[in-house]
Amino acid sequence: ARFERTPLSVRDFPPRLGRFVYVPSPDGLETNLLILFHGLGDSPDNFVQFGQRMELPQCSLLAITAPHAVSCDLGHAWFPAFEDDGTLIAEPLPPGDARRTDGLAVSREACSTLLSTLGRCCNWQRSEIFLLGFDQGGTVAIDLATRVVGPRIGGAVGISCLWLLPEEEPSSQASLRSGIDLPPLLSLHGTEDPVLSLAAVRESHRT
């Protein structure tokens, strides 16, 4: 049956994504799946609580772990954010510095594998899967939703995040996304965010 889900096993889970937290829909109707992408330095254990507070009907939750460990045991990242001395990577990055884009590519590949696993092993159709991410996690959610090959997902939400890293070229992004059936996308951002300016977020929407 369409809505009979097979539990996701640790054996089938992409190893690059480490641990995950799965919460079945409280009403027992696993119609949709919301994949949660935590922010820089966070963990799935914390972010899944945010998903639970939304109390979405007929929706199960899957919170996953970013593949890049932050030094000093300070959580995980979806792409590098710090220099070796612990300071934030300064912008603009010098030409040819691909640390962040390469890290994002690793996350994209691991999450694409996860989407395939959810369909093959757990009976989740792409149209039943939705993505929600905060900060770096939002960047990955939007990136995955607009670049994954195959049937489109149900939709994606990015909270307080860039849709495109400053060092990525819009023209290259457009070519990568050509022929992809884009799902509904939503960007949410506060006007008084002290970390990431609204202007920077709007600029990242230029694709």
Side-chain angles (χ1 to χ4, degrees):
R2 183 181 176 191
F3 298 130
E4 290 183 357
R5 314 300 183 187
T6 302
L8 181 62
S9 70
V10 174
R11 180 190 62 219
D12 296 324
F13 197 74
R16 291 301 300 262
L17 296 177
R19 293 189 315 102
F20 65 89
V21 179
Y22 182 78
V23 180
S25 179
D27 56 21
L29 300 174
E30 295 192 284
T31 307
N32 297 303
L33 176 67
L34 180 64
I35 302 179
L36 298 166
F37 299 77
H38 63 74
L40 174 63
D42 202 357
S43 71
D45 306 271
N46 288 329
F47 205 48
V48 77
Q49 297 176 42
F50 170 72
Q52 290 175 298
R53 285 195 294 270
M54 290 190 287
E55 298 182 348
L56 299 172
Q58 302 181 33
C59 185
S60 299
L61 306 174
L62 175 62
I64 60 179
T65 305
H68 305 283
V70 178
S71 60
C72 301
D73 199 27
L74 295 176
H76 289 77
W78 296 100
F79 47 86
F82 298 101
E83 301 286 1
D84 293 338
D85 62 3
T87 59
L88 283 170
I89 294 176
E91 295 185 18
L93 273 67
D97 189 333
R99 286 176 293 172
R100 297 199 305 187
T101 53
D102 288 349
L104 181 58
V106 169
S107 294
R108 183 189 311 123
E109 181 180 1
C111 292
S112 297
T113 300
L114 173 61
L115 291 179
S116 299
T117 298
L118 290 169
R120 183 181 69 255
C121 300
C122 306
N123 197 31
W124 287 103
Q125 305 301 310
R126 288 280 181 92
S127 60
E128 300 164 339
I129 297 175
F130 297 80
L131 314 178
L132 185 151
F134 172 73
D135 183 50
Q136 281 196 356
T139 300
V140 174
I142 297 298
D143 178 89
L144 183 64
T146 56
R147 291 226 240 172
V148 67
V149 177
R152 78 177 192 178
I153 62 167
V157 179
I159 304 174
S160 298
C161 69
L162 299 174
W163 281 32
L164 185 70
L165 295 177
E167 58 268 34
E168 293 184 279
E169 290 293 332
S171 58
S172 66
Q173 289 292 95
S175 64
L176 285 169
R177 293 169 180 170
S178 63
I180 293 178
D181 186 13
L182 296 180
L185 304 172
L186 175 63
S187 177
L188 301 173
H189 195 79
T191 57
E192 304 298 328
D193 190 325
V195 177
L196 181 62
S197 71
L198 183 58
V201 173
R202 284 175 171 165
E203 175 63 17
S204 77
H205 291 180
R206 64 191 185 276
T207 54

